[in-house]
Amino acid sequence: MGLGTERRLLDNNDGGLSDDPYLSDSDDPEASAILFDADHDHDDTVAPLMLRRLVPRGGQGGGGPSRDDGGDNSGGHGQSASFLPRPDPAMPVYITIHRIRRLVIAAINDNYTLEELRAPRLDRLVVRPLVDRLYNPNDPAIVYSLLANRVQFLRPRAHELLQQTVNESRATLCELLAIRILRRFHEDHTGRSGLLLLAHILVSGFDPCDAAPEAIRARRPQWAVQERGGHERKLTGLELAIISESKLFIGSPACQRVVDAVYRGIVVYTPLSFVDILPDHYKHHPVSLYEPRRAAILNHHRLIVPRIRNGIELLHFIVLLVLYMLTVTHYGFGKHLAGLHVNTYETLFNVFAAGWVLEQFAAIVEHGWEVHAQNLWSFLDITFVFIYGAYGLVRTVELLISSDAFYAMPVLCTAAPVLLTRIAFTLMPDNIVFIALHAMMRDFTRLTFIAIWCFAGFVMGLLLLARTTGDEKLEGSVTWATITKWLLWIWFGLDGTGIERASDFHIILGPTLIITFAFLGNTLFLTILVAILTNTFSKIISNEAAEIQFRRAVLTFQGVKSDAIFSYPPPFNLLALLIMLPLKWFVGPVVFHHVNVAVIRAVNAPLLLLIGLWERRRIWGGRRGRNSRWRKWKYFAGLNPHGDIQNIFSAEPPPEVMDALEKMDVLSDIVVIDRELASARSPRPSSASGSGSGTPLSSISVRRRKMSDSSSLRRFEGADR
């Protein structure tokens, strides 16, 4: 079956399901991305739309073993036919990574900015030749390998400090190459087959040590604690883009297409994670497209769809906030049971908050702190966890000592600013002000830590200076707390007591230390702080669209959960931890999987029913949903004076209008000049000898767009006359 035929099989079925009897009769439609699956799970019913799993890199066509198949419960993954083109044997990931590193190091040996690399000259001499050399339509791991090299180039190393700026330029080149290559994949593969291929490139896992020497594999530093049937130690390209902060790459149209599809639940897959608290790895579903009308009505996999998951987490946080407000407002009201003062609202809050903290801990260990820290409200969650932990410790001690003590409640009250701020971050995650606050908080925390370190030196110096005076009265009245208070008042410009008492420490050295601290704290530190925060804010504002798209990609990536503990809402996740986790050690993986799925569906039955009914109507935007009379009220067009403008663009013109427009303007004659051909806009003057002369516009190949029914193919037409 040829590439064109295979692509048409997918593109011609965009509006409906396949007549393939194997796909129609499959009990596990998501796993039926592979034909002839020998062991379907009748409980896990999610469905793809006319697709098979992509053959992993290194597959041998028909019957060879698949690198991504290792340990899955399906029996015939290696022998399955694919609607997508089967790749030829490609280089392993380890070799591809080092090939890219060798080429990039040879190409860049000086410091270049992104604008310079995008300039016509470097684009023609460096970028485009590397793209042509590296692009392989049968190698989905090339983008992953480029991003892996970017991560390595950005990692600071003490022995390469002189090369750090050059390595940053090489990292920028890797990101630019990844954007160009992913765009070629996007242009060469259209329709839903193209979406599946792009999703495979970005969210399928790749092993960087694939085909690496045994010496390299033997000293792998990663802590592989859980078996995943051959999917251990793998990372995705999207995760590498997040930890390397490749915001231009994530903001590219091809990457945003995948992010949006994953966010809405159109692309489904089993995510890879570092550690799962409640692991259930009996089945590993490959990347596939989801068709809600063929899935089970109680489909527990939809609980990890990012759009749905964000709504669930918002609901959990609202419940936590309500219980917190009831607890602090009913302070002191309760009953004495067995000598203990018990508050009903406080008990409910403690139980629910413990489950919520467990959920946050599972989110951190799933992908590591480096990924979790990219979340906008991660610092707020960590702050609340520390406050709640301190409150729990104090509350436990006071219950053991005295039932009438209320020392813990003031500690809990300090969480109010954190919780109310966090709800604002959650409701407006795309607000550029909150995005800037998140970035500036990192700089502020780092600089404040340095300031406190230096501040402690002044406190210690004044305290030791007071002890050398020999004045016992001064030694008894001046403590470290008193000195700290005086210095803080000077720092914020509130009080000058410290300056007045400086001579008590020493007639010369005391005022010297205090005045030096005042200059450093009020002048130098504040100036540096304002300059750094202003620079950070200006960078974010200047690249607002990319910042918003990057944060949405982070939410999408973190929203697809691997750990089964996320399928249990607080406080049921505590029961799952106490009951289901010990059960896992006494039963086999098959029995545990069926029990876990049954309990998850029972706990979330009302929510799953609502999700199933809603998605059957909305996810693919079916004809019934578009023509629903309720959509007429969506924008209240009758109350909008500009509603007619929106109305004419709400649907495509009828066929007779399109035919008339095509006769007026043939789109195949329209020249499309993109960024790669920007050098053709201004010809360079040629030298007398002809060497190094620029190429005139008339002799440059011009890219034209050829319109067809289901795809947009681009070709180069020579204009050399």
Side-chain angles (χ1 to χ4, degrees):
M1 184 181 294
L3 172 59
T5 305
E6 294 162 351
R7 188 179 300 161
R8 286 194 297 272
L9 283 173
L10 282 165
D11 293 338
N12 293 338
N13 285 276
D14 284 353
L17 298 174
S18 170
D19 294 330
D20 193 326
Y22 294 102
L23 290 179
S24 302
D25 297 336
S26 174
D27 292 324
D28 187 352
E30 186 181 20
S32 70
I34 309 299
L35 280 185
F36 312 110
D37 198 342
D39 185 11
H40 295 303
D41 185 354
H42 298 273
D43 293 328
D44 296 346
T45 48
V46 284
L49 188 68
M50 272 297 300
L51 46 94
R52 309 289 203 278
R53 185 174 68 170
L54 284 171
V55 176
R57 300 179 71 257
Q60 301 298 326
S66 173
R67 193 177 65 211
D68 284 344
D69 290 343
D72 202 353
N73 63 312
S74 57
H77 289 186
Q79 292 79 17
S80 63
S82 175
F83 283 108
L84 292 171
R86 283 193 176 276
D88 296 329
M91 288 187 299
V93 179
Y94 176 80
I95 298 178
T96 303
I97 290 176
H98 282 278
R99 178 197 179 199
I100 292 172
R101 178 176 177 83
R102 181 170 174 267
L103 290 174
V104 170
I105 291 177
I108 297 293
N109 199 23
D110 203 350
N111 184 23
Y112 295 96
T113 63
L114 176 63
E115 290 74 17
E116 291 174 337
L117 291 175
R118 279 179 164 179
R121 181 172 178 273
L122 286 182
D123 180 78
R124 184 177 65 254
L125 296 177
V126 178
V127 180
R128 226 183 301 173
L130 285 177
V131 172
D132 295 335
R133 179 185 294 269
L134 294 174
Y135 175 68
N136 181 3
N138 295 326
D139 189 0
I142 187 67
V143 174
Y144 170 89
S145 303
L146 284 166
L147 294 174
N149 275 279
R150 172 175 168 80
V151 173
Q152 180 64 20
F153 282 130
L154 290 177
R155 180 172 289 112
R157 291 176 292 274
H159 62 281
E160 294 184 1
L161 292 179
L162 297 178
Q163 294 289 324
Q164 188 60 37
T165 56
V166 178
N167 286 335
E168 291 177 358
S169 300
R170 292 165 177 168
T172 303
L173 177 60
C174 290
E175 182 181 7
L176 191 57
L177 293 175
I179 294 172
R180 298 284 182 87
I181 291 177
L182 188 66
R183 184 171 69 178
R184 287 199 179 182
F185 277 108
H186 189 200
E187 294 172 349
D188 294 345
H189 303 83
T190 59
R192 295 187 181 178
S193 61
L195 175 60
L196 179 64
L197 176 60
L198 293 178
H200 180 70
I201 292 172
L202 292 179
V203 298
S204 288
F206 297 97
D207 186 0
C209 291
D210 178 30
E214 189 60 33
I216 300 295
R217 302 177 66 90
R219 52 186 175 92
R220 303 177 76 171
Q222 186 175 338
W223 180 32
V225 297
Q226 295 171 339
E227 295 184 359
R228 297 178 179 270
H231 296 275
E232 302 87 1
R233 303 178 182 272
K234 292 185 177 181
L235 296 173
T236 65
L238 185 59
E239 182 175 359
L240 294 182
I242 290 174
I243 64 177
S244 63
E245 297 189 1
S246 303
K247 298 176 182 179
L248 291 178
F249 174 82
I250 291 178
S252 62
C255 185
Q256 282 299 305
R257 183 188 180 192
V258 176
V259 170
D260 183 69
V262 174
Y263 180 79
R264 294 192 295 155
I266 296 176
V267 170
V268 293
Y269 61 97
T270 296
L272 303 174
S273 61
F274 179 53
V275 177
D276 290 342
I277 295 179
L278 186 62
D280 184 7
H281 303 147
Y282 170 65
K283 293 183 68 68
H284 183 90
H285 297 297
V287 178
S288 56
L289 303 182
Y290 179 70
E291 170 51 48
R293 293 181 181 88
R294 296 189 59 212
I297 191 66
L298 298 180
N299 184 6
H300 67 284
H301 291 286
R302 305 310 287 171
L303 295 175
I304 63 172
V305 171
R307 178 166 61 178
I308 298 174
R309 184 69 202 171
N310 291 340
I312 293 174
E313 291 182 352
L314 176 60
L315 179 62
H316 292 170
F317 187 78
I318 291 176
V319 173
L320 177 69
L321 182 60
V322 170
L323 291 176
Y324 171 81
M325 298 302 295
L326 292 174
T327 300
V328 296
T329 53
H330 289 78
Y331 161 72
F333 298 95
K335 299 180 180 180
H336 288 272
L337 298 177
L340 298 178
H341 189 86
V342 179
N343 188 320
T344 303
Y345 293 117
E346 183 182 9
T347 303
L348 294 176
F349 168 75
N350 286 331
V351 174
F352 190 88
W356 188 85
V357 170
L358 174 62
E359 194 174 70
Q360 301 308 309
F361 177 75
I364 294 175
V365 300
E366 186 176 31
H367 296 293
W369 173 252
E370 192 171 3
V371 174
H372 186 76
Q374 297 294 343
N375 198 333
L376 281 183
W377 46 84
S378 58
F379 68 98
L380 295 173
D381 291 343
I382 293 300
T383 304
F384 175 77
V385 169
F386 277 111
I387 294 175
Y388 178 74
Y391 156 77
L393 179 62
V394 176
R395 184 60 171 156
T396 301
V397 172
E398 73 180 13
L399 287 176
L400 295 177
I401 296 176
S402 174
S403 60
D404 295 327
F406 290 96
Y407 300 107
M409 194 57 62
V411 177
L412 187 61
C413 292
T414 60
V418 177
L419 294 177
L420 294 178
T421 305
R422 208 271 200 186
I423 195 69
F425 273 77
T426 306
L427 292 176
M428 294 181 287
D430 295 338
N431 191 294
I432 192 62
V433 176
F434 292 139
I435 295 175
L437 282 176
H438 173 265
M440 290 189 294
M441 278 299 299
R442 290 189 298 178
D443 296 335
F444 179 79
T445 303
R446 187 182 303 111
L447 195 58
T448 302
F449 175 77
I450 297 175
I452 292 175
W453 192 295
C454 300
F455 178 84
F458 281 94
V459 174
M460 180 63 67
L462 291 172
L463 185 61
L464 296 177
L465 194 61
R467 294 182 178 180
T468 61
T469 59
D471 189 351
E472 297 181 357
K473 182 178 180 180
L474 179 63
E475 292 183 19
S477 61
V478 176
T479 62
W480 66 269
T482 304
I483 297 176
T484 301
K485 181 183 67 173
W486 289 347
L487 294 183
L488 281 177
W489 290 170
I490 294 174
W491 193 355
F492 294 113
L494 301 177
D495 184 58
T497 304
I499 298 178
E500 296 177 357
R501 299 287 303 274
S503 58
D504 295 344
F505 296 92
H506 192 276
I507 190 63
I508 297 176
L509 299 181
T512 302
L513 285 177
I514 295 292
I515 297 300
T516 302
F517 173 81
F519 272 108
L520 293 178
N522 284 359
T523 305
L524 182 61
F525 175 78
L526 291 181
T527 302
I528 295 175
L529 179 62
V530 171
I532 292 177
L533 296 184
T534 302
N535 184 47
T536 302
F537 185 76
S538 62
K539 286 182 179 179
I540 293 176
I541 291 298
S542 63
N543 201 16
E544 179 179 353
E547 292 288 343
I548 294 175
Q549 292 168 346
F550 178 75
R551 298 304 166 186
R552 182 173 180 178
V554 172
L555 285 179
T556 301
F557 178 75
Q558 293 182 337
V560 186
K561 304 296 187 181
S562 171
D563 198 340
I565 200 71
F566 292 104
S567 299
Y568 296 92
F572 292 100
N573 54 358
L574 297 175
L575 297 177
L577 186 65
L578 297 176
I579 299 175
M580 298 300 296
L581 187 58
L583 179 65
K584 183 178 177 62
W585 305 107
F586 296 99
V587 298
V590 179
V591 176
F592 176 78
H593 174 73
H594 286 291
V595 172
N596 185 44
V597 170
V599 175
I600 290 174
R601 290 181 174 177
V603 172
N604 301 277
L607 178 60
L608 292 177
L609 181 61
L610 291 176
I611 293 173
L613 295 177
W614 178 75
E615 286 188 335
R616 277 164 167 74
R617 186 178 183 88
R618 296 294 300 275
I619 191 169
W620 283 114
R623 183 171 300 175
R624 292 179 58 188
R626 288 195 299 267
N627 296 333
S628 174
R629 61 187 179 91
W630 297 108
R631 292 180 63 86
K632 298 179 181 179
W633 299 93
K634 185 174 181 180
Y635 297 110
F636 296 95
L639 303 178
N640 187 358
H642 310 111
D644 292 340
I645 301 298
Q646 301 177 15
N647 185 42
I648 64 173
F649 292 105
S650 61
E652 293 291 336
E656 55 271 16
V657 176
M658 294 298 296
D659 293 340
L661 295 176
E662 182 65 24
K663 292 179 181 179
M664 296 179 189
D665 305 293
V666 181
L667 294 185
S668 59
D669 295 336
I670 303 299
V671 177
V672 179
I673 302 179
D674 57 12
R675 186 181 297 275
E676 289 186 3
L677 300 177
S679 59
R681 290 182 297 181
S682 56
R684 299 186 180 184
S686 58
S687 61
S689 61
S691 60
S693 61
T695 306
L697 178 62
S698 59
S699 63
I700 292 184
S701 299
V702 179
R703 179 172 292 183
R704 298 175 181 270
R705 177 171 295 175
K706 178 182 178 182
M707 306 300 296
S708 61
D709 294 335
S710 61
S711 62
S712 175
L713 305 178
R714 292 188 174 183
R715 56 190 173 89
F716 285 98
E717 294 183 358
D720 194 2
R721 299 176 185 270

